[in-house]
Amino acid sequence: MKLTQCLALSTLAASVMLASQADANEITDNEIRIGYLADMSGAYRDPIGPLGQDAIEMAIEDMGGSVAGAEIELFSADDRNSPDVGSSIVRGWIDEQNVDMVTGLVASSVTLAAVRLLEEENRLGLVNGAVSSGVTNESCSPNHIHWVYDTWAMSNGTASAITQEGNTDWFLLSADYSFGHALERDVTRVVEENGGNIVGSIRHPFPSNDFSSFMLQAQASGADVIALNNAGSDTTNAIRTASEFGITQAGQVLAGMVLFSTDVRSLGLEAAQGLQFTTAWYYDLNDEARAWAERFKERTGSMPTQVHAGLYSSTLHYLQAVDAIGTDEAQAVREQMAATPIDDIFATGGYIREDGRMVHDMYLVEVKTPEESTDEDDLFRLVRTIPAEEAFRPLSESDCHLVNNDS
């Protein structure tokens, strides 16, 4: 009798355990639901915007449209670069569509508001557009991963190279919101660590069309370098204004801290030639990157930016993780993603750290002259590959609460 009871209890325990495992392995609603939140109409429309959805769709298609027997559904929305609008969209996606993962996340202010909601609701965020290094530093969480770049990496490559060339006096022109502030801070750190000085700074409203007064102030500072701590149309407008005022012709260096291939096309090689900047990816990096870029261009009519490649890569890695473990539970998926190296069209040997930073090589490039360019897509030459371990903030300097700096 006792043996029978023991066997019965063992069978019951095993059944409960199996049922528990089955629940853990279930995909909610038998669908993977992804939300793409981005600036579709403002300053970041061209480098990220609507074409980012195509990159995500390519990843979904490359997975055959489903994972672990579950169909994949994609939602998209324009956050209008507003934290309030972005938060409202994410809240609606969670409450009404039961979205599992949100990607895109472009303006840093929108991103920081959105990832707080994702953590509260235990959903996953894949940050591809936002640049602020605070995303995985003081604002890290167990519910988001920062994929493409950040202000620490962008300033580390460009500012150090330009300062080491003997351009020691810097003037900082920064977008007046969290991204611009973070980039201003990180550029200051790199310049001073390399023996340079900040001789002046000013912040401009985001977004801005008229940079005349800002560029005149930068010109009057006598700085060797004018750092553009902004992105998208703000950067291209500032560079055009500098060209009109003859700033570079007079010998001052313009340092675009966050530039995209779309910016260079918009400016034209005549205006952009010689600009050096750091990028996470570009389509002539290798044969695999170029082949994927040609697929993207055939689909959209345009070559992809580094963020488009990041959206494809991060979405694919996410879907592969769900497929491998058979669940869309956020913490389980993140753990699987972190346990799997990233080897694809975007990165080789990339990996996800405990703070949520995806670590990979970065690249210092220079815009070609019109004479050097062989076709409309031949824009850059590689100056230097920045190894992954040099590219991003070391964990020993992290303020992320997920990082144990005592070990």
Side-chain angles (χ1 to χ4, degrees):
M1 182 66 177
K2 288 182 180 178
L3 180 60
T4 304
Q5 286 176 331
C6 287
L7 288 171
L9 287 170
S10 297
T11 303
L12 177 61
S15 300
V16 169
M17 188 172 71
L18 288 171
S20 174
Q21 289 174 345
D23 289 342
N25 289 337
E26 285 183 355
I27 291 177
T28 52
D29 306 313
N30 200 35
E31 281 190 343
I32 301 301
R33 296 178 179 175
I34 298 171
Y36 173 51
L37 184 67
D39 172 14
M40 304 291 194
S41 55
Y44 305 134
R45 171 187 167 83
D46 290 343
I48 304 169
L51 296 190
Q53 182 168 333
D54 288 277
I56 296 167
E57 288 172 352
M58 288 172 70
I60 293 171
E61 290 164 10
D62 285 352
M63 291 296 294
S66 66
V67 291
E71 294 297 309
I72 304 165
E73 187 170 2
L74 178 62
F75 304 87
S76 67
D78 185 352
D79 61 32
R80 292 184 281 167
N81 286 318
S82 164
D84 291 340
V85 172
S87 295
S88 177
I89 292 167
V90 173
R91 170 56 66 194
W93 278 345
I94 292 171
D95 291 347
E96 297 166 25
Q97 272 80 35
N98 200 21
V99 160
D100 302 295
M101 183 270 278
V102 176
T103 188
L105 300 168
V106 179
S108 297
S109 54
V110 175
T111 299
L112 293 173
V115 296
R116 282 192 287 271
L117 275 176
L118 295 172
E119 184 177 13
E120 287 172 12
E121 300 294 335
N122 193 33
R123 309 302 165 95
L124 200 58
L126 301 183
V127 181
N128 283 276
V131 197
S132 172
S133 60
V135 169
T136 49
N137 194 39
E138 65 271 14
S139 298
C140 72
S141 87
N143 287 80
H144 68 269
I145 297 167
H146 204 176
W147 206 264
V148 177
Y149 45 28
D150 61 33
T151 53
W152 204 98
M154 301 302 262
S155 60
N156 195 47
T158 309
S160 60
I162 293 174
T163 306
Q164 287 166 15
E165 289 171 4
N167 301 295
T168 56
D169 291 343
W170 287 63
F171 185 95
L172 309 183
L173 176 59
S174 308
D176 193 8
Y177 77 108
S178 54
F179 149 62
H181 301 169
L183 193 47
E184 182 181 88
R185 180 183 66 242
D186 286 334
V187 170
T188 298
R189 172 189 55 80
V190 174
V191 169
E192 291 178 346
E193 284 177 356
N194 284 276
N197 309 293
I198 306 302
V199 299
S201 64
I202 192 170
R203 292 174 174 175
H204 67 80
F206 167 73
S208 290
N209 292 318
D210 186 0
F211 279 84
S212 301
S213 63
F214 305 121
M215 296 310 296
L216 286 171
Q217 198 166 332
Q219 187 177 37
S221 73
D224 301 319
V225 185
I226 302 169
L228 305 179
N229 298 325
N230 49 24
S233 60
D234 282 339
T235 299
T236 55
N237 287 337
I239 293 172
R240 285 195 182 97
T241 303
S243 179
E244 290 167 8
F245 290 171
I247 287 176
T248 53
Q249 294 92 322
Q252 285 177 295
V253 175
L254 275 185
M257 305 311 296
V258 180
L259 276 169
F260 299 92
S261 54
T262 48
D263 299 330
V264 174
R265 270 199 197 85
S266 174
L267 289 163
L269 292 183
E270 192 64 45
Q273 61 183 303
L275 275 173
Q276 287 191 2
F277 64 97
T278 302
T279 186
W281 179 91
Y282 67 108
Y283 43 76
D284 280 331
L285 195 56
N286 52 50
D287 291 343
E288 189 179 8
R290 184 72 188 210
W292 181 83
E294 293 290 354
R295 281 179 57 203
F296 185 91
K297 183 176 182 178
E298 185 176 351
R299 180 190 187 104
T300 66
S302 175
M303 291 297 266
T305 66
Q306 57 185 319
V307 176
H308 295 147
L311 285 163
Y312 171 86
S313 169
S314 58
T315 302
L316 189 67
H317 198 67
Y318 167 80
L319 294 173
Q320 288 170 339
V322 173
D323 198 41
I325 61 177
T327 179
D328 55 8
E329 196 279 319
Q331 296 308 311
V333 175
R334 177 179 160 135
E335 185 177 344
Q336 176 65 22
M337 291 176 73
T340 310
I342 295 93
D343 290 298
D344 58 18
I345 60 97
F346 180 79
T348 301
Y351 62 94
I352 298 164
R353 294 191 315 202
E354 58 202 275
D355 60 348
R357 175 68 259 170
M358 200 281 269
V359 178
H360 53 85
D361 291 347
M362 298 284 289
Y363 307 92
L364 183 66
V365 299
E366 182 174 284
V367 179
K368 290 185 174 182
T369 66
E371 294 74 27
E372 290 174 319
S373 176
T374 58
D375 60 54
E376 64 177 2
D377 296 323
D378 184 22
L379 304 178
F380 314 122
R381 69 175 186 85
L382 178 65
V383 176
R384 176 178 175 241
T385 297
I386 305 168
E389 296 304 320
E390 291 180 23
F392 295 95
R393 184 198 315 274
L395 282 179
S396 60
E397 297 178 14
S398 176
D399 293 324
C400 172
H401 67 278
L402 302 173
V403 176
N404 179 10
N405 281 328
D406 297 327
S407 58

